Amino acid sequence: MSQPTRILLSLLAGLAVGALLAAYSPQGALTAATWAQPVGQAWLNGLQMTIVPLVVALLITGVTATAEAAQAGRLAGRAIALYVMLLFLSAVTAALLTPLFLQIAPLPQESAASLRAALSGAEKIGPVPPLGEFLAAVVPANIVKAAGENAFLSLIIFALIFAFAITRVGHEARTLLTSFFVAVRDVMLVVINWVLWIGPVGVFALALVVGAKAGTGAFGALLHYILIVASVGLVITLLAYPAAVIGGRIGLGRYVRAALPSQAVAISTQSSLATLPVMIEGAATVGVPVAVSGVTMPLAVAIFRATGPAMNFAVAIYVATWFGVPLHATTLAVGAVVATLTSLGSVSLPGTVSYVSAISPVAATIGAPITPLGLLVAVETLPDIMRTVGNVTWDLATTIWLSRGAGDVPRDDADEIVSH
């Protein structure tokens, strides 16, 4: 049984046990919640202790690897520029769509209040300071203090500056520093995998507390969360079709047929890497030579996660709304930038790991609590299917787009475009 499945089953079991206790023995439910709360909190603390070093290491190694790839050739440079632009647009789309979806289908107030009470340790980080103070605080005077206070935006700024500085030093120093942060990244991934290995225990304890205090309403609230986040991912996925048709100058039907095999593999494996051979074959069916797809597809799998910024930001906005954190235009704009950068850094990580490392900085930046992520990660298996399908759909679309820019994909004639 896979790790995500174990965690999901533990969540369902914990919610069910807590809800049954609440229905038939309210006092017993409170007693069980009292015992379970420290266990769940200890697991959450273990999860959170990895976030700061992991995020910094991921950003530094991600930026240095991206810079090296961009220098490898003109096509790689064009691809990376396109990917970064689309990642930012993905985050902006979430900033617009998620509040809209939450207005159309809001989380029931009773369920929201029950969940807030159940997650008693999940306090919002605090009010967003005025714009002037915010901008002044972005540049950290003390990076150690920023790390201790989970000031992720300041950490990201420092990590980016440090990473770009690494690319400017000599080969020996660059190799030494890059290897060091690769080692830090790998060690933290081992630690977080240990924490996730005992995740069923921690998630069961958290879910039992939520079920005991929120009752059956917790099931409906989690389903609502899944639908909202997955809907944002669905919109991002659907936008790949006009992007391929317009940017790649290809008929819609031709693109749909090329994308279907990779989408089927993505649903079954939930892995963009496993879908890579099928994506290259799909690109070949529309005339993209392997000389192009062999460069852009691996880059896309490693760097470009089109649904990542949107769905990560959607989670952060959802949690902020859930806990009554006000979201202004400036806050959302900064959150979109952070969502883009953290998505760029979370390359080739398992879904449960990238969920924590990519969303925590975004949530902290907009003032949302991080604690609920320990519960929500348990249902990430379902939105992760949408993430993977959207990613491979966009990977193929951008490959056709880039190849068309190089004059390698034959343009469909007008009759074919109309017919499809």
Side-chain angles (χ1 to χ4, degrees):
M1 185 183 298
S2 68
Q3 187 180 79
T5 302
R6 290 168 53 234
I7 292 176
L8 177 60
L9 291 177
S10 299
L11 171 76
L12 296 176
L15 289 175
V17 171
L20 287 172
L21 285 173
Y24 295 103
S25 177
Q27 187 57 45
L30 293 177
T31 301
T34 301
W35 283 97
Q37 180 72 42
V39 176
Q41 188 61 49
W43 180 74
L44 276 176
N45 291 343
L47 202 60
Q48 292 180 20
M49 74 178 181
T50 65
I51 293 173
V52 169
L54 181 60
V55 168
V56 172
L58 283 172
L59 278 171
I60 291 175
T61 55
V63 168
T64 53
T66 302
E68 289 181 5
Q71 295 172 1
R74 183 181 175 189
L75 178 60
R78 286 175 52 229
I80 291 171
L82 177 63
Y83 297 156
V84 173
M85 179 190 71
L86 290 175
L87 287 172
F88 178 69
L89 291 177
S90 171
V92 171
T93 302
L96 299 173
L97 288 181
T98 311
L100 176 63
F101 289 165
L102 286 171
Q103 285 184 357
I104 296 172
L107 177 65
Q109 291 300 315
E110 184 177 347
S111 296
S114 299
L115 288 169
R116 284 196 297 270
L119 293 170
S120 55
E123 303 296 337
K124 58 185 181 182
I125 292 178
V128 177
L131 181 59
E133 296 180 17
F134 175 81
L135 292 175
V138 164
V139 180
N142 186 332
I143 192 61
V144 177
K145 181 181 178 182
E149 296 176 349
N150 286 334
F152 281 105
L153 185 56
S154 297
L155 281 174
I156 289 171
I157 295 295
F158 175 80
L160 288 174
I161 294 172
F162 193 87
F164 283 115
I166 288 176
T167 65
R168 306 290 293 181
V169 300
H171 175 74
E172 184 176 346
R174 183 168 67 250
T175 301
L176 176 64
L177 287 171
T178 303
S179 299
F180 171 76
F181 283 104
V182 167
V184 171
R185 179 197 66 191
D186 292 345
V187 169
M188 295 315 301
L189 289 177
V190 171
V191 173
I192 201 170
N193 277 321
W194 286 345
V195 176
L196 289 172
W197 186 81
I198 61 171
V201 176
V203 169
F204 178 85
L206 287 173
L208 191 148
V209 174
V210 171
K213 295 184 178 181
T216 56
F219 288 97
L222 288 174
L223 178 60
H224 180 269
Y225 159 80
I226 291 171
L227 291 175
I228 292 293
V229 174
S231 296
V232 174
L234 177 61
V235 172
I236 297 297
T237 302
L238 293 176
L239 289 175
Y241 291 90
V245 171
I246 297 170
R249 306 179 210 175
I250 185 174
L252 178 60
R254 194 176 173 203
Y255 173 69
V256 169
R257 290 192 296 272
L260 277 175
S262 58
Q263 291 170 336
V265 175
I267 291 172
S268 61
T269 64
Q270 297 178 42
S271 168
S272 298
L273 185 61
T275 314
L276 182 58
V278 184
M279 285 193 289
I280 292 176
E281 290 180 11
T285 63
V286 293
V288 178
V290 176
V292 174
S293 61
V295 173
T296 60
M297 285 292 189
L299 267 179
V301 169
I303 296 171
F304 181 49
R305 309 217 168 184
T307 60
M311 296 182 72
N312 293 343
F313 201 11
V315 174
I317 293 172
Y318 190 98
V319 173
T321 305
W322 175 5
F323 282 83
V325 178
L327 297 175
H328 307 295
T330 303
T331 308
L332 291 173
V334 175
V337 173
V338 174
T340 302
L341 294 173
T342 53
S343 179
L344 189 64
S346 61
V347 292
S348 301
L349 295 179
T352 48
V353 176
S354 61
Y355 183 93
V356 174
S357 64
I359 298 175
S360 296
V362 186
T365 298
I366 65 175
I370 298 175
T371 300
L373 299 181
L375 185 67
L376 298 178
V377 70
V379 295
E380 174 58 14
T381 300
L382 302 176
D384 193 48
I385 295 174
M386 179 58 67
R387 288 175 182 267
T388 310
V389 172
N391 290 342
V392 301
T393 305
W394 268 102
D395 289 349
L396 180 59
T398 51
T399 291
I400 297 171
W401 195 345
L402 290 163
S403 186
R404 178 58 188 167
D408 291 318
V409 176
R411 179 179 178 178
D412 293 340
D413 56 44
D415 290 338
E416 184 181 356
I417 293 174
V418 172
S419 66
H420 291 305

